[in-house]
Amino acid sequence: MKLKRSSGVLLHPTSLPGKFGIGSLGKDAFDFVDFLVCSKQKLWQVLPMGPTSYGDSPYQSFSSFAGNPLLIDLDELVKQNLLSKSDLETKEVFDDGKVDYGRIITFKTALYKKAYNNFKKLSSEIEKAKFEIFCEKHKKWLEEYSLFMALKNHFCGKPWYEWEYDIKIRTFPALKEYREKLSDEINYHRFIQFEFFRQWYKLKSYANINNIKIIGDIPIFVALDSCDVWASPEIFHLDEDRRPTKVAGVPPDYFSATGQLWGNPLYNWDVLKAQNYKWWIERLNATNELVDMIRIDHFRGFAAYWAIPYGNKDAIHGTWEKGPGEDLFIAIRKELGTLPIIAEDLGFVTPDVEKLRDDFDFPGMKIIQFGFDSSEGSPYIPHLFPVNCVAYTGTHDNDTIVGWYEKASKQDKEYVKEYLNSDCKDVAWDLLRLTWASTAVMVIVPLQDVLSLGSEARMNVPGIACGNWQWRYKKGQLSADIKQKLRKLTGIYKR
C-alpha cells in the first residue's frame, strides 16, 4: 500500500459538540471537516462505528456491520419531514462536554420511533423505494441484525444467551414465529440503519470532496452479546449451551498489572478456514465501503492471541494460541484485492507479528508517549521510526499528552526536555511538532492533544468499566489560532 506523507486528527463522532448531548453526523461533523480543511489536514480517524452495548464502548458492539443509531442527526430528520421542529423542543438539559448515554438513549429513541411512524405514513414512493433498495443491498447482515435488536427489546434487554431456548439456539420454527410477531419492530431497526447509512455517506462524500480521507477501525474481536455470535455461533468457541469456553484479553502489560480481560469469545479459526474466511471477508468489505482506510485493532491476534479460560476473574492466567496468520490475509486479498489497512501492532509484539505485518506491507503504529517511558533505545522514539508507519502522540487508550506529562517521573520529564531541547511549558505542541517532524509517512493525533487538554479529557482508561467514552469538545475550542498553528506545522514538515 503506497501512502503519501500526511497528517490528521483522531476524533470519534460522539465527541463532536451539539445540542442533544452527543455528537452526531449533522452540521457539527461537517464543521469538523471544514476545520480539517482549514488546518491543512488530510485524515480523520474515527473509532468503530457500530451500535454500542452496555458500557458504551465502541469496541463492544451489538453488530460488526450496523451503524450506531445514537449518531443519527435529529435536525436532518426534521429536514426530511420525519420530525417537526417542535419535536426537538425539550426541557432536557444536556452536558455539552460529556456524554450521558443513558439519558440520551431514552431521549433519542423516542424521537426515532416517531420519525419511523412518520416515515411509514408520510414518506413518498421514491423514499420508500430507496429504503427497499437499501434493505436489499444490505440484506445479508441487516435481516439478522434487525431481528436480533427486535428480540433484545422483546426480552427486555437481556443478552441473547438468556433468551428462551428455542430462539437462543435459532430453531427454524422460533425464527419464523418471531419474524412474524416482531415484524414492525424489525422494520423499525431497518429504518434506523437506513437513516444512519444515508447520513454517514453524505458526510463521507463531503470529506472526500474536500480531500479528507476517513480512517475507520475494526476491533479484531466481537462482543459476546452481539448479533455476530448469535447468528454465527459455529465460528466461535462456544459450548453446547452457547457459552464461551475461552475468551479474549491480553496478559499484564503497560496498561494493567493483571492484564486486560476483555471477555470476547474467541474465533474457531478451523471453521473459518473451512468457510474460506467468508465472515471476515464480508466484514472487511462492509467496513471498506464505509471508510477510506481501515485500522485493525489488536493486529497481533492474527499471529497469536491470549486465550483465557471462561470464568477467570482477570487475564493473568491464559495461553498463547496460534492465529490464522497469512492464510487469512491471502484469502482476503484474493477476494477483495489489496485493502488500505493499518495494523495496530502495539503491546507484546513478537517476530511473527512483525513478519505478518511486513509481508503484506501494512504500516504499523508508533506511540510517541511510549518512547519516553523507558530507555533511549525504545522503538517508539522518533529517530528510530520506519517510514512505513503511522505515528500517534497517543490513542484513545492513552492519557492526553498534558495528563501523561504531569504524571511522568522526574527522570522521564528530564529526558523529554533534553530530547526536545525545550522547557516543555507547551508540552502538547512540543510533541505534536516532534510527531509531525518524524519520518513516519502518516501522523494522527487525538484532538485532545491539539487542544492541549489534561486527563479530564481522556477518552478511555483500559480495565475501568465505567465512565469512559464520554468526552466531547465544545463549540469555540477549534479557534483560529489552533487552525493557524496546525496549518503552519503541516506546511513546515510537508504533510
Side-chain angles (χ1 to χ4, degrees):
M1 178 172 62
K2 185 67 175 176
L3 300 175
K4 293 183 178 180
R5 190 170 169 84
S6 54
S7 60
V9 176
L10 167 61
L11 180 81
H12 197 49
T14 57
S15 296
L16 290 161
K19 53 191 172 183
F20 298 116
I22 190 170
S24 76
L25 305 179
K27 182 179 183 300
D28 291 298
F30 286 79
D31 288 346
F32 183 70
V33 171
D34 291 342
F35 161 76
L36 293 174
V37 172
C38 287
S39 54
K40 299 295 184 183
Q41 302 312 295
K42 298 292 190 297
L43 307 166
W44 178 7
Q45 182 170 324
V46 299
L47 303 182
M49 300 289 286
T52 52
S53 57
Y54 307 105
D56 311 310
S57 170
Y59 294 89
Q60 297 285 344
S61 174
F62 288 133
S63 169
S64 295
F65 296 83
N68 188 346
L70 296 180
L71 294 176
I72 294 173
D73 180 56
L74 296 174
D75 288 319
E76 185 64 25
L77 297 182
V78 172
K79 291 177 184 176
Q80 296 174 35
N81 295 317
L82 297 176
L83 293 175
S84 66
K85 288 184 178 180
S86 61
D87 288 329
L88 305 191
E89 294 174 0
T90 177
K91 294 180 181 179
E92 291 269 11
V93 179
F94 295 107
D95 191 328
D96 62 354
K98 186 177 180 181
V99 181
D100 184 343
Y101 285 94
R103 288 177 61 208
I104 291 161
I105 289 169
T106 301
F107 173 75
K108 281 199 151 188
T109 299
L111 292 170
Y112 294 159
K113 291 281 188 180
K114 189 166 190 176
Y116 168 62
N117 288 325
N118 286 334
F119 178 81
K120 288 192 294 183
K121 292 183 292 187
L122 305 174
S123 61
S124 67
E125 291 303 313
I126 293 175
E127 282 300 297
K128 288 178 179 176
K130 290 178 180 178
F131 174 63
E132 292 302 324
I133 290 169
F134 169 82
C135 291
E136 184 61 31
K137 178 182 177 183
H138 298 278
K139 186 175 182 178
K140 279 186 178 180
W141 65 265
L142 184 60
E143 293 304 301
E144 296 285 15
Y145 168 76
S146 300
L147 174 60
F148 176 84
M149 294 305 295
L151 284 163
K152 180 166 279 292
N153 183 63
H154 176 75
F155 289 111
C156 303
K158 289 181 180 178
W160 65 266
Y161 44 85
E162 294 181 9
W163 296 348
E164 292 176 1
Y165 183 77
D166 283 357
I167 192 63
K168 178 178 81 170
I169 67 166
R170 295 173 55 84
T171 67
F172 179 79
L175 289 170
K176 185 174 184 294
E177 175 191 348
Y178 280 108
R179 283 194 176 108
E180 293 172 356
K181 184 177 180 178
L182 304 177
S183 60
D184 191 59
E185 181 74 7
I186 289 169
N187 209 46
Y188 162 73
H189 288 287
R190 290 194 193 109
F191 164 76
I192 288 298
Q193 290 303 305
F194 173 58
E195 287 298 331
F196 172 88
F197 275 73
R198 172 151 61 180
Q199 292 190 15
W200 174 257
Y201 280 126
K202 185 177 178 181
L203 175 62
K204 181 179 182 294
S205 176
Y206 184 76
N208 291 165
I209 287 170
N210 284 284
N211 202 28
I212 303 295
K213 289 184 177 180
I214 296 179
I215 303 173
D217 197 332
I218 287 184
I220 184 174
F221 300 117
V222 300
L224 174 59
D225 185 22
S226 68
C227 179
D228 305 295
V229 182
W230 175 68
S232 303
E234 72 282 358
I235 68 172
F236 299 92
H237 282 291
L238 307 177
D239 64 19
E240 291 181 357
D241 198 40
R242 303 286 169 93
R243 298 278 183 166
T245 56
K246 47 190 175 182
V247 296
V250 290
D253 62 5
Y254 170 86
F255 293 111
S256 173
T258 57
Q260 297 177 45
L261 178 61
W262 299 332
N264 310 77
L266 293 171
Y267 297 107
N268 188 328
W269 286 111
D270 290 338
V271 171
L272 281 160
K273 179 181 175 69
Q275 297 175 353
N276 195 35
Y277 304 106
K278 179 183 176 185
W279 183 87
W280 260 99
I281 289 168
E282 289 176 350
R283 184 186 188 193
L284 278 165
N285 189 46
T287 304
N288 191 50
E289 289 183 359
L290 283 175
V291 298
D292 302 298
M293 296 184 68
I294 302 169
R295 187 194 89 121
I296 299 183
D297 192 54
H298 197 60
F299 180 81
R300 73 107 48 248
F302 294 113
Y305 51 88
W306 189 244
I308 305 157
Y310 182 65
N312 279 19
K313 301 299 183 184
D314 57 41
I316 293 176
H317 301 291
T319 56
W320 286 107
E321 298 190 3
K322 188 173 176 56
E326 67 174 13
D327 197 47
L328 170 64
F329 291 100
I330 289 171
I332 290 168
R333 188 167 58 187
K334 184 176 179 180
E335 290 293 323
L336 303 178
T338 301
L339 294 180
I341 289 173
I342 298 169
E344 188 270 282
D345 55 348
L346 306 175
F348 180 61
V349 177
T350 49
D352 57 339
V353 180
E354 295 175 344
K355 184 176 187 305
L356 182 62
R357 177 197 66 201
D358 295 342
D359 282 353
F360 290 88
D361 201 28
F362 298 149
M365 290 174 54
K366 299 296 181 185
I367 309 299
I368 291 285
Q369 287 184 29
F370 294 170
F372 299 101
D373 284 337
S374 54
S375 69
E376 295 182 35
S378 166
Y380 293 99
I381 205 73
H383 64 264
L384 298 177
F385 284 0
V387 173
N388 191 35
C389 76
V390 185
Y392 295 75
T393 50
T395 72
H396 59 277
D397 282 336
N398 294 103
D399 202 343
T400 66
I401 286 295
V402 171
W404 162 78
Y405 186 74
E406 287 176 349
K407 298 179 184 71
S409 67
K410 182 178 180 181
Q411 182 180 358
D412 285 345
K413 285 181 179 176
E414 288 304 315
Y415 180 29
V416 174
K417 290 178 181 177
E418 184 178 11
Y419 190 90
L420 295 173
N421 191 28
S422 168
D423 59 12
C424 288
K425 290 181 179 179
D426 192 3
V427 66
W429 277 85
D430 285 341
L431 287 179
L432 254 69
R433 176 179 288 273
L434 181 63
T435 311
W436 256 249
S438 73
T439 57
V441 67
M442 289 166 51
V443 300
I444 306 284
V445 293
L447 184 65
Q448 293 96 316
D449 289 342
V450 175
L451 299 177
S452 299
L453 299 178
S455 297
E456 75 284 351
R458 185 168 182 169
M459 194 63 166
N460 180 51
V461 181
I464 304 298
C466 301
N468 292 316
W469 318 108
Q470 296 179 355
W471 176 77
R472 303 170 69 202
Y473 79 87
K474 299 179 181 180
K475 287 183 181 292
Q477 285 187 288
L478 303 184
S479 65
D481 180 57
I482 291 288
K483 294 174 190 175
Q484 193 274 334
K485 286 172 68 177
L486 205 51
R487 184 166 58 241
K488 183 177 180 180
L489 201 63
T490 304
I492 291 172
Y493 295 110
K494 309 300 180 188
R495 292 196 178 275

